[in-house]
Amino acid sequence: MIQILFATQTGNSEFYAEEVGRHLNNAIVSSIEDFDFLTLPEQKRVIFIISTTGDGDMTNDINKFWQFLLIKDLPKESLIKLEFTVFGLGDSSYPKFNYAARKLRSRLLQLSAKEFIPSAFGDEQHPCGIDTEFVIWFQNLLKKCQTQTIISQYIKIQQLDNYQLQNIVDKLDFIFVNKKRLSAEQHTKETFQFNFQCNQMFQCGDIFSIKPRNQNKLVSQFLQLQKLDGNKWVKLEEQKQNQKSKIIPKTISIQRLFSEFLDITSPPNRYFIKLMSQYAEIDIHKQKLTEMCAQTPEGLEEYYSYVYREKRNVYEVLYDFQPCVIPLELLIESLKLIRERQYSISSAYDGQKISITVALVCYTTGKNRLIKGFCSNYLQNLQADEQIEGRIIKGTITFPQQIDIPVIMVGPGTGVAPFIGFIEERQKQGANNKDKSILFFGSCYEKKEFYYEKFLQESPITLFTAFSRDQQKKIYVQHRILENRDLINKVVKDNLNNVMIIVTGTSKKMPTQVELVFKECLGEQIIQELKKKKQYLVECW
């Protein structure tokens, strides 16, 4: 038996794990979160497919497994029986490229596990994306494992012709109230504060994880194209262990299945293209689709050029190659599950509401196609009193409860979100010492993108701003930190045992550059000490 374990934040690793599982004999695909890590020393062969998130961080679902591997008393030969390989999903535009997968590989080797094929690390920045490395790694894998001549299916369905059940409407904990525009009215970059009724407890630093739904119009168009009746019901039967069987109700209407569970808003994967090549009815379409899913550099380029770079969604690709009706069980198997999107909470707990800060994702592709982000577009279209599906989860930052502990905050752009709630909370506690709450905020333009301007200027905090495009020479938050190094030095060195430095925002260059200037201000040793004591925290995305 081969275990295929995936760790994912967005569902990409799960797709690659399922693709591997389709081709191998006696393979079990599961989330690393569901795997009993105590059995790892007895496993013979495990395939790890691991994503990296944020600033080189492990995804949330691997944390318990990783903590187990880090136990100091684990004997060095704990995993001597284990053969493994790792495939990592990463993006080389981030400093810690594929850091999670590389750390996992190193630790497994330290514990005497052996690679049965070399591990590989896919790069989102490659012209043909993650698949460039995956194709090579996968071919090596198939040479070393027993493969199946018939590709197995994960799910079988049974049509329920006269089923008279109604969809269960769950009472959800979050109700949309309103939104407030934070960016200037005429500015192309649209940023909003979204407000919801909430009866759940949360703390500053927590995350609001939202599960969006496909737009009704898109679902109707998709069902029509696939000749599916949304009012019909089906029963799902698990043929092979998979995540969808755990998440999708066993009995469900087709309308709900494609509205709430299966993602038809995102681009289809290459397995979906392969299925299309089998069910397309026009020969020239079959030929084109076959070329696109071929395991060759040319096939990869075809797919990335047409689907991925242009962000064509599932419906758009099917529309271009119609008629092409894929059996429902294969649609369920090949489409990704709709994944939750995580947003820092930007309000203090008051027992009534919860707020998030969201920049709408909207851009044009190389061929001038307008693309809107799945979840931000979903939020933008919410109507007053509409219920949404979501949950509160712990973030990676924890704010101090005592108002006399100094906190230095760095939050450019929407990175300011968690600090809004924290500053609100301190005000409720009666904080009035500006030197205890220092915020460095930055964006491109003061007049267009000074989020929460009035609130921040009227709050009992020390505020420094950097608007990079308002003058010829660009000024960023790291420049403001350097300019105020004397203040930083005094606050940190007078409060070494409890001062906190918290950095949030985009995870590309900013966190590294900010850390470098703090090291320049305070010295590398102090920053390392603060990190070790969890007094220097980073939460980036």
Side-chain angles (χ1 to χ4, degrees), residues 93-108:
S93 68
Y94 295 96
K96 295 180 179 178
F97 169 58
N98 256 309
Y99 204 57
R102 293 178 192 276
K103 282 197 295 187
L104 175 62
R105 175 182 177 273
S106 295
R107 184 58 179 154
L108 292 171

Side-chain angles (χ1 to χ4, degrees), residues 290-531:
T290 302
E291 291 170 4
M292 212 183 294
C293 66
Q295 302 284 6
T296 63
E298 294 77 17
L300 283 176
E301 176 55 37
E302 284 277 345
Y303 169 78
Y304 271 81
S305 176
Y306 169 73
V307 177
Y308 196 80
R309 292 188 197 121
E310 287 301 307
K311 296 293 185 249
R312 286 185 168 87
N313 65 34
V314 170
Y315 168 75
E316 290 171 324
V317 175
L318 283 167
Y319 183 87
D320 284 352
F321 290 91
Q322 63 179 309
C324 179
V325 177
I326 299 172
L328 180 56
E329 56 264 40
L330 294 179
L331 285 174
I332 296 170
E333 183 178 317
S334 58
L335 293 173
K336 286 183 187 178
L337 287 165
I338 294 175
R339 291 286 168 179
E340 295 176 352
R341 271 59 168 182
Q342 297 180 357
Y343 297 95
S344 296
I345 296 172
S346 47
S347 56
Y349 175 74
D350 66 1
Q352 296 180 334
K353 73 172 177 65
I354 187 171
S355 302
I356 56 174
T357 304
V358 181
L360 302 189
V361 177
C362 186
Y363 60 94
T364 54
T365 66
K367 294 184 179 175
N368 221 30
R369 285 166 35 81
L370 182 66
I371 304 298
K372 294 183 178 182
F374 186 0
C375 194
S376 65
N377 187 47
Y378 166 74
L379 291 170
Q380 177 71 347
N381 286 296
L382 288 175
Q383 301 299 309
D385 297 325
E386 189 172 340
Q387 293 185 340
I388 71 161
E389 190 173 346
R391 61 193 176 111
I392 308 292
I393 59 176
K394 297 302 294 179
T396 56
I397 56 176
T398 304
F399 288 97
Q401 300 293 315
Q402 303 93 320
I403 61 174
D404 60 336
I405 293 179
V407 181
I408 299 169
M409 302 167 276
V410 183
T414 54
V416 76
F419 301 135
I420 300 301
F422 174 63
I423 293 166
E424 273 185 9
E425 183 64 36
R426 280 206 156 175
Q427 285 182 266
K428 282 169 60 179
Q429 293 175 308
N432 55 19
N433 188 338
K434 291 190 172 188
D435 290 339
K436 298 297 184 183
S437 302
I438 300 170
L439 172 64
F440 292 88
F441 171 77
S443 65
C444 293
Y445 306 102
E446 181 176 7
K447 298 294 184 189
K448 298 177 181 178
E449 299 171 12
F450 195 166
Y451 307 147
Y452 300 100
E453 177 180 6
K454 186 180 179 189
F455 170 78
L456 292 173
Q457 289 178 336
E458 294 176 354
S459 295
I461 64 172
T462 299
L463 175 65
F464 299 103
T465 58
F467 300 103
S468 59
R469 308 293 169 84
D470 278 345
Q471 60 285 311
Q472 192 169 7
K473 185 179 179 182
K474 292 179 182 175
I475 297 173
Y476 298 108
V477 286
Q478 51 266 39
H479 297 117
R480 297 300 189 216
I481 294 169
L482 273 178
E483 289 170 8
N484 293 278
R485 64 192 304 164
D486 291 344
L487 174 63
I488 300 291
N489 256 289
K490 179 171 179 15
V491 170
V492 172
K493 291 179 179 176
D494 287 354
N495 301 274
L496 266 178
N497 290 327
N498 61 13
V499 67
M500 295 198 68
I501 299 175
I502 303 175
V503 182
T504 63
T506 177
S507 60
K508 292 203 172 179
K509 295 178 181 177
M510 185 274 293
T512 304
Q513 292 172 344
V514 165
E515 184 177 329
L516 286 173
V517 297
F518 273 123
K519 285 178 178 176
E520 192 174 334
C521 294
L522 298 164
E524 185 156 354
Q525 186 175 346
I526 287 180
I527 295 300
Q528 293 308 323
E529 279 298 312
L530 292 175
K531 281 187 167 185

